[in-house]
């Protein structure tokens, strides 16, 4: 698969953390980046980055649980090839900095409304994005759909007590394997990737991996994906993850 001279990359959840670094690295290498977040007006880091790369970064407002907004964005980019669709937007669910809300994801004290919300963001929204943008991805040279998952969704590695987040990522992994089968005839590669335990708002201060190192690794993984590896689940360092 020959790389496009100027690939177009769409990144959801681009206002901070992993998404912001994805936008930064792709823009720095000359890609055209469509960076989406819920409220661009309240995303100063993304705005600052867009001012550094004004010709490369196009910021779009998008709440991924709003399906009509997804459709509207897809219509806006109708007929424009998108080489890499990166479903990065995610939510860990109830877990404040002091972890006093973790019980809301544990057996006997589940917050079911929060669980539904996490499933909407982490599992359902990525599939909706895939449906809405399949024509744009199919029309591109690279034809890649990337889904940021987590080893917490693995039955081999992710043995944690947080029902909401873990189940949403396990379900996402299943969605990816099914999408890989459905979209292979169109030459679209679908892959789940794990960024590692990263120092972000979601990962917390206990994380050991820096954002730049994580995303550099993820981008290396993405570059190496072929149709033969569609449906795969890979760590940022290239290791295949059993799930």
């Amino acid at each position: 698969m020959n790389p496009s001279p100027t690939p177009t990359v769409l990144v959801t959840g681009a206002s901070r953390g992993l998404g912001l670094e994805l936008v930064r690295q792709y823009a720095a290498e000359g890609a055209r980046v469509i960076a989406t977040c819920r409220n661009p007006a309240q995303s100063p880091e993304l705005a600052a980055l867009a001012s550094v790369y004004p010709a490369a970064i196009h910021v779009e407002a998008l709440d991924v649980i709003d399906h009509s907004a997804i459709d509207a964005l897809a219509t806006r980019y109708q007929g424009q090839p998108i080489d890499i669709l990166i479903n990065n937007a995610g939510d860990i669910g109830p877990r404040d900095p002091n972890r006093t809300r973790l019980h809301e994801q544990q057996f006997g004290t589940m917050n079911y409304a929060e669980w539904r919300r996490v499933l909407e963001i982490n599992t359902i929204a990525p599939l909706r994005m895939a449906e809405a943008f399949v024509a744009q991805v199919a029309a591109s040279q690279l034809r890649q759909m990337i889904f940021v998952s987590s080893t917490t969704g693995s039955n081999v590695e992710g043995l944690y007590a947080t029902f909401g987040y873990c189940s949403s990522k396990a379900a996402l992994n299943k969605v990816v394997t099914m999408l890989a089968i459905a979209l292979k005839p169109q030459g679209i590669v679908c892959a789940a990737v794990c960024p590692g335990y990263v120092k972000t708002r979601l990962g917390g201060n206990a994380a050991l991996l820096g954002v730049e190192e994580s995303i550099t690794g993820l981008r290396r993984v993405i570059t190496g994906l072929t149709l033969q590896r569609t449906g795969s689940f890979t760590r940022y360092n290239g290791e295949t993850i059993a799930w």
Side-chain angles (χ1 to χ4, degrees):
M1 186 181 294
N2 295 321
S4 171
T6 307
T8 296
V9 184
L10 192 160
V11 181
T12 65
S15 64
R16 59 176 179 263
L18 298 173
L20 185 69
E21 183 64 15
L22 280 163
V23 173
R24 187 189 72 79
Q25 289 195 21
Y26 275 113
E29 289 201 351
R32 175 181 181 241
V33 185
I34 304 165
T36 78
C37 63
R38 281 180 295 178
N39 194 335
Q42 295 180 13
S43 305
E45 291 178 288
L46 180 57
L49 186 59
S51 70
V52 175
Y53 301 99
I57 299 174
H58 306 266
V59 178
E60 298 279 3
L62 179 66
D63 185 340
V64 294
I65 66 173
D66 184 342
H67 293 189
S68 62
I70 291 176
D71 289 337
L73 185 64
T75 298
R76 195 172 307 137
Y77 286 91
Q78 188 173 5
Q80 301 183 43
I82 293 174
D83 291 271
I84 311 174
L85 169 63
I86 304 181
N87 286 285
N88 166 73
D91 196 298
I92 200 168
R95 196 189 87 166
D96 60 291
N98 296 320
R99 302 196 174 193
T100 58
R101 295 188 62 199
L102 273 178
H103 66 281
E104 295 183 46
Q105 294 199 61
Q106 294 173 350
F107 181 73
T109 51
M110 280 292 298
N111 183 328
Y112 284 91
E114 282 291 297
W115 189 3
R116 291 186 186 95
R117 186 181 64 83
V118 169
L119 285 167
E120 282 279 356
I121 297 169
N122 294 352
T123 308
I124 297 173
L127 178 60
R128 191 68 191 85
M129 287 290 295
E131 286 185 327
F133 286 92
V134 65
Q136 290 90 329
V137 175
S140 73
Q141 274 196 285
L142 298 182
R143 299 191 297 277
Q144 294 179 328
M145 291 188 180
I146 308 301
F147 302 79
V148 178
S149 186
S150 167
T151 54
T152 60
S154 166
N155 288 322
V156 178
E157 296 189 25
L159 304 179
Y160 304 98
T162 47
F163 279 69
Y165 184 69
C166 293
S167 65
S168 74
K169 291 301 186 180
L172 175 63
N173 290 345
K174 186 62 176 179
V175 164
V176 173
T177 61
M178 296 171 73
L179 268 176
I181 296 169
L183 299 183
K184 190 173 183 179
Q186 297 185 57
I188 296 175
V189 179
C190 298
V193 296
C194 175
Y197 191 18
V198 190
K199 293 178 182 177
T200 63
R201 178 178 171 183
L202 188 151
N205 295 327
L208 301 176
L209 186 63
V211 174
E212 184 175 354
E213 180 183 357
S214 169
I215 295 305
T216 298
L218 279 186
R219 290 184 55 246
R220 189 178 298 117
V221 168
I222 293 168
T223 298
L225 289 172
T226 63
L227 199 57
Q228 287 68 42
R229 294 194 60 211
T230 192
S232 59
F233 185 20
T234 310
R235 212 181 315 272
Y236 75 97
N237 60 5
E239 295 175 351
T240 297
I241 303 170
W243 71 275

